[in-house]
């Protein structure tokens, strides 16, 4: 693997009262990458691979990483609007849009607002809609479960991703806490979805790829199928030996599938 | 000094603690027998009225989806007490306004109780403990901001008398605010706010509301009261902070012999021992500031819980200042020592019943305190006393 620290460069942009941290790198067609609840860093292994083929633009969502959170922002819709302005500002024209988990939800909101600005859409373990019945949460309640149970639900192999909280740098642990706080702010109620979104997704006529890890305990196969079915031109893929974050557990396999779709 | 009898209305008839994960949030209510529960309500209401007969005031609170406090709708019990009692002040501490969707409804409930009791309401507001956010489906992020907007909106509802006013705020929206009845007390019932953090206390001091803190011990309480006094003075309310602005809640058991007192006090510690709650209910995201939560993630919470476990015997709890227990002389001395350490406070909120402390023992504790300790505290600390720590008094 190349020196990832050199692959992506960090800068900051002021948008609508928010200071947005942005990681950029690589050459090729522009790709806007929207991270999961775990956040994004300059050393992200999946982005390093992706940047070999594409111009990758990966912001930290407001309230995540080092991006500030304006007082007025408290919803996924707010984040989508901030990114609309980011897209205006960067002026890349049409972009490929890739979102993971909560980033998938933001991507879906953006795509319903400006479908003409999107080339292709990739949703990796996405949340954002309500598919099942009212008497069961579609996504297990990540704010009300023991850490160990959470790790088992999101990873195929949790042992490889167990952070050592005693030795983790102060800054990293604070970022982790803050990411989770912002996730709760925007996804608490309605839990992990916007009831209106499913009635808007028909506008997203561009080709879309919905991906989940086979061991994902948060986004079920049924949920992914139901979600993809709301878009006129969407297909689904499953990644073996991966959980909620195939970009962490199977970056190479995911890259192959994503590029095959984007280049089709 | 005013003393308040307080009971959490716990339901203690539970299976062994190792058979359930948490006493709050997810303990199935099949463990609650409504027959036993009805008898408990009768009993706890009786005990409040006995405390009133003994010259004490009445305090109650509210929690949700828990066996530790089966009073999920405190305004309803408060309504019953407003009719059953005759002279005691009635303190609800409090309304969890960050978790209530309609502050104007809270203003209506409290105004009704104030009229029903002929102006005996003392209206407390609380942010709500962390394990309340799941039962209330309440977003744990920005709770402080919601709480303060709700309190201001309630005061507006209480004090607007010339027809409808409106509110379009950050968290709450109300097009037509014109409550009936309006409060009995003018301009509105006394307001209490509970907080266990110095930052929160300073804000309460700025507004001059009554500050209550729970089981924060000698040094924790002093810090909180210092912050309150600072906020009070910086807001230009004058140098003197009346003691009736500050309240402290402790476990208190007084009996005619030391042995009986310690046995009763040990039963009160059920309140702490039974509070089995897993980490993920104790620490919802956004409830505490990022820096404090980062320390918790590193293991600070484990240290805190270990320290708390140490205090779960009567001697240690007394030493820490979270409990006053003993004969009348001993309890009197313990309250005095606490009073002097923290700079003085005007309200002692007495958690005088918990768990398996049965009716007769509860009443014995109430009566012994009320007859043999309370008059001495009243003589030493009249309501007109000023709260300040020793150094400040020397300088002044």
């Amino acid at each position: 693997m190349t020196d990832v620290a050199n692959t992506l460069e960090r800068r900051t942009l002021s948008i609508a009262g928010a200071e947005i941290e942005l990681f950029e790198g690589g050459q090729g067609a522009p790709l806007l990458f929207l991270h999961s609840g775990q956040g994004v860093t300059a050393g992200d292994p999946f982005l390093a691979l992706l940047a070999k083929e594409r111009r990758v633009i990966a912001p930290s969502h407001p309230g995540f990483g080092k991006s500030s959170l304006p007082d007025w922002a408290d919803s996924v819709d707010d984040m989508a609007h901030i990114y609309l302005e980011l897209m205006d500002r960067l002026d890349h024209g049409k972009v490929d849009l890739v979102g993971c988990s909560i980033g998938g939800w933001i991507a879906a909101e953006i795509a319903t607002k400006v479908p003409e600005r999107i080339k292709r859409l990739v949703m990796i373990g996405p949340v954002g809609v309500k598919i099942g019945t009212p008497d069961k949460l579609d996504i297990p309640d990540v704010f009300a479960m023991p850490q160990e149970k959470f790790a088992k639900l999101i990873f195929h192999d949790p042992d490889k991703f167990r952070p050592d909280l005693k030795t983790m740098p102060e800054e990293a642990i604070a970022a982790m806490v803050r990411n989770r706080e912002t996730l709760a702010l925007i996804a608490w109620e309605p839990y992990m979805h916007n009831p209106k979104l499913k009635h808007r997704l028909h506008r997203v006529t561009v080709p879309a790829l919905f991906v989940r890890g086979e061991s994902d305990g948060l986004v079920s196969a049924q949920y992914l199928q139901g979600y993809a079915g709301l878009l006129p031109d969407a297909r689904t893929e499953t990644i073996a030996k991966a959980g909620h974050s195939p970009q962490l557990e199977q970056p190479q396999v995911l890259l192959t599938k994503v590029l095959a779709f984007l280049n089709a | 000094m005013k003393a308040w009898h307080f009971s959490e209305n716990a339901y203690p008839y539970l299976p062994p603690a190792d058979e359930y994960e948490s006493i709050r949030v997810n303990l199935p209510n099949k463990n609650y027998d409504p027959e036993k529960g009805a008898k408990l309500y009768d009993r706890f209401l009786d005990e409040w009225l006995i405390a009133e007969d003994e010259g004490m005031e009445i305090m109650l609170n509210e929690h949700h989806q828990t066996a530790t406090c089966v009073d999920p709708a405190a305004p309803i019990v408060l309504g019953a007490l407003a009719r059953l009692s005759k002279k005691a002040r009635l303190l609800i501490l409090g309304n969890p306004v960050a978790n209530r969707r309609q502050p104007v409804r809270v203003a209506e409930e409290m105004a009704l109780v104030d009229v029903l009791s002929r102006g005996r309401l003392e209206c407390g507001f609380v942010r709500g403990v962390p394990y309340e956010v799941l039962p209330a489906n309440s977003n744990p992020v920005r709770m402080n901001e919601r709480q303060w907007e709700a309190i201001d909106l309630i005061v507006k509802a209480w004090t607007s008398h010339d027809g409808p006013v409106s509110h379009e705020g950050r968290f709450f929206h109300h097009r037509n605010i014109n409550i009936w009845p309006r409060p009995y007390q003018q301009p509105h019932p006394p307001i209490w706010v509970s907080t266990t953090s110095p930052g929160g206390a300073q804000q309460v001091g700025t507004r001059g509301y009554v500050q209550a803190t729970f089981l924060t011990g000698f040094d924790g309480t002093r810090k909180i009261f210092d912050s309150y006094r600072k906020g009070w003075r910086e807001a230009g309310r004058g140098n003197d902070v009346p003691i009736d602005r500050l309240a402290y809640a402790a476990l208190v058991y007084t009996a005619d012999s030391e042995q009986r007192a310690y046995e009763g006090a040990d039963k009160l510690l059920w309140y702490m021992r039974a509070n089995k709650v897993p980490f993920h209910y104790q620490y919802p995201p956004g409830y505490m500031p990022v820096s404090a939560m980062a320390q918790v993630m590193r293991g600070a919470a484990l240290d805190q819980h270990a320290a708390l476990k140490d205090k779960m015997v009567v001697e240690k709890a007394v030493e820490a200042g979270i409990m006053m227990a003993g004969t009348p002389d001993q309890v009197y001395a313990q309250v005095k020592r606490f009073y002097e350490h923290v700079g003085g406070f005007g309200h002692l909120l007495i958690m005088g019943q918990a768990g398996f402390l049965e009716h007769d023992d509860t009443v014995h504790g109430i009566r012994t305190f009320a007859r043999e300790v309370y008059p001495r505290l009243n003589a030493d600390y009249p309501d007109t006393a000023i709260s300040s720590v020793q150094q400040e008094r020397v300088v002044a």
Side-chain angles (χ1 to χ4, degrees), chain A residues 69-71 73-74 141 143-146 165-166 168-170 173-174 176-178 180-181 184-185 188-189, chain B residues 21 101 133-134 137-142 170 280-281 283-286 288-290 293-295 297-299:
Chain A
L69 179 68
D71 277 352
D74 59 12
D141 193 348
F143 303 123
M145 66 173 69
L165 296 169
K166 290 274 177 206
M168 198 187 247
E170 199 68 38
I173 204 164
M176 188 175 82
V177 167
R178 183 163 173 266
R180 194 155 175 270
E181 175 174 320
L185 176 71
W188 184 268
E189 182 189 299
Chain B
E21 181 194 29
R101 308 277 164 141
V133 299
L134 292 171
N137 218 63
S138 183
N139 199 314
V141 188
R142 299 178 173 167
R170 182 174 172 196
H280 52 278
Y281 293 157
Y283 298 99
M288 343 170 75
V290 168
M293 189 59 202
Q295 291 310 310
M297 297 290 286
R298 271 216 203 287

Side-chain angles (χ1 to χ4, degrees), chain A residues 86-153:
Chain A
L86 175 73
M87 289 161 74
D88 290 346
R89 204 83 76 78
L90 296 177
D91 200 20
H92 284 301
K94 279 185 148 190
V95 296
D96 287 320
L97 186 56
V98 180
C100 303
S101 189
I102 189 88
W105 179 0
I106 302 172
E109 298 279 1
I110 293 171
T112 60
K113 295 176 204 301
V114 290
E116 72 282 0
R117 304 274 297 271
I118 313 299
K119 264 197 289 197
R120 288 184 169 230
L121 176 66
V122 178
M123 304 277 274
I124 300 164
V127 299
V129 292
K130 173 72 189 170
I131 299 293
T133 57
D135 52 9
K136 186 169 183 288
L137 298 181
D138 281 13
I139 311 294
D141 193 348
V142 298
F143 303 123
M145 66 173 69
Q147 182 58 34
E148 193 52 32
K149 184 178 174 193
F150 178 67
K152 280 185 185 147
L153 288 181

Side-chain angles (χ1 to χ4, degrees), chain B residues 23 26 40 46 49 77 87 94 104 106 108 167 176 178 180 188 201 263 305 317 322 325 362-363 381:
Chain B
I23 194 170
N26 68 353
L40 281 175
D46 287 345
L49 297 176
V77 177
K87 59 176 182 181
V104 174
V106 177
E108 289 172 329
H167 180 80
N176 198 92
N178 181 32
W180 286 67
H188 57 73
E263 283 168 12
H305 292 160
I322 60 179
T362 303
V363 172
Y381 308 121

